[in-house]
Amino acid sequence: LKGARPEKPFTLKITEDYVKVAGKVKGLVEETNKVLEFINKQNQIDQNSDTKTTFAGDTSLQNIEFQLRNLIHEPMLVMDGDGEVLRSYRLNQLGVEFEKSGLLTFKEEKFTKALERDFEGVGQAITGEGGFSPSLRKVLDGYTRIGNGILTTREQGIRGKIKEIDRQIEEKTRQIDRKSQSITDTFSRLQSTMANMQRQGQYLSATLGGSGGNPISQLLGG
């Protein structure tokens, strides 16, 4: 192209870059595996696991894993310009398969052969309207979308519960403080009353005892 000149014809050959396309799909598989690895790690617990820092048994994670695995097994439709279904592909036909570990593996040679046979169809199965990539994005967006995504909504709910618990703790603390102050005041009054009674007793003993005789008898007029 740089050497093009007026009246100087040249030939430009455009071919599909199978290696680059395969690399993009490999990257998509690797990112999907990161999500599956995170879910697996959260669900692996034993007697030494700190469940305060994991999401073991969390329903949201279970739902994400369920939808991802279903999506990977579902057929991806190839349609014409009028929306008519021409054929379909499953990911295992394109070299994307599950391992025993539960993670995905990508067989690039198998994928490349599928591209060579049907480049347009495979491309649509991966990136088309009903393809794997848009479907995966739709599933994940439903959880991670800011504002009304499932995880955002759950986070807001948890923060609301924490705030309510903090409010209840503050209210209980105020009640305890008031109760403690009330008990302290009652005890102080009781001590003051006892001190007064002791002083009165000492006064009576001193007054009546100094005149001789039994103080009780003197009080009764004896």
Side-chain angles (χ1 to χ4, degrees):
L1 290 175
K2 291 181 179 180
R5 296 291 183 274
E7 299 181 358
K8 183 181 178 182
F10 63 91
T11 300
L12 179 64
K13 185 178 180 181
I14 300 175
T15 59
E16 297 87 353
D17 191 341
Y18 296 144
V19 175
K20 192 167 185 178
V21 174
K24 293 289 185 179
V25 176
K26 182 180 180 181
L28 179 61
V29 170
E30 290 174 349
E31 292 302 314
T32 303
N33 274 339
K34 289 181 182 180
V35 177
L36 295 174
E37 284 178 337
F38 175 79
I39 294 173
N40 289 339
K41 185 177 180 180
Q42 296 300 308
N43 288 327
Q44 292 174 0
I45 58 174
D46 54 32
Q47 65 273 18
N48 299 319
S49 299
D50 182 5
T51 56
K52 293 183 294 183
T53 60
T54 63
F55 295 93
D58 184 83
T59 55
S60 293
L61 281 186
Q62 292 175 351
N63 288 335
I64 291 174
E65 181 181 20
F66 176 78
Q67 291 191 49
L68 283 179
R69 294 190 182 280
N70 274 357
L71 179 60
I72 291 167
H73 287 298
E74 288 178 356
M76 298 167 291
L77 304 180
V78 178
M79 297 177 286
D80 60 18
D82 297 325
E84 294 293 330
V85 177
L86 300 177
R87 54 195 174 281
S88 65
Y89 284 101
R90 295 181 185 275
L91 285 182
N92 61 353
Q93 295 176 276
L94 306 179
V96 181
E97 303 173 4
F98 273 110
E99 298 177 318
K100 291 182 179 180
S101 64
L103 301 180
L104 294 172
T105 182
F106 178 61
K107 298 180 179 179
E108 186 172 337
E109 183 178 356
K110 187 174 182 179
F111 178 76
T112 301
K113 287 182 179 179
L115 280 180
E116 292 172 348
R117 291 192 305 268
D118 182 14
F119 185 86
E120 293 295 331
V122 172
Q124 189 177 147
I126 297 295
T127 63
E129 183 178 349
F132 176 71
S133 181
S135 298
L136 177 62
R137 180 182 296 276
K138 184 178 179 180
V139 169
L140 296 181
D141 280 352
Y143 285 91
T144 61
R145 186 171 52 251
I146 297 174
N148 60 350
I150 293 176
L151 295 182
T152 301
T153 302
R154 284 203 62 196
E155 180 182 359
Q156 292 172 348
I158 292 173
R159 290 186 182 279
K161 289 181 179 179
I162 293 174
K163 186 176 181 180
E164 175 61 21
I165 291 173
D166 287 341
R167 187 196 64 78
Q168 292 179 4
I169 291 174
E170 291 177 359
E171 178 61 27
K172 292 296 183 182
T173 300
R174 287 194 294 269
Q175 292 178 2
I176 292 172
D177 289 342
R178 289 195 296 267
K179 186 66 174 178
S180 176
Q181 186 62 47
S182 175
I183 293 174
T184 300
D185 293 343
T186 301
F187 183 73
S188 296
R189 289 194 298 270
L190 180 60
Q191 283 186 318
S192 178
T193 300
M194 291 178 64
N196 289 334
M197 291 178 65
Q198 288 176 350
R199 286 195 295 271
Q200 290 175 4
Q202 293 172 354
Y203 173 78
L204 290 174
S205 296
T207 302
L208 299 179
S211 59
N214 189 320
I216 302 300
S217 298
Q218 293 179 7
L219 286 174
L220 296 176

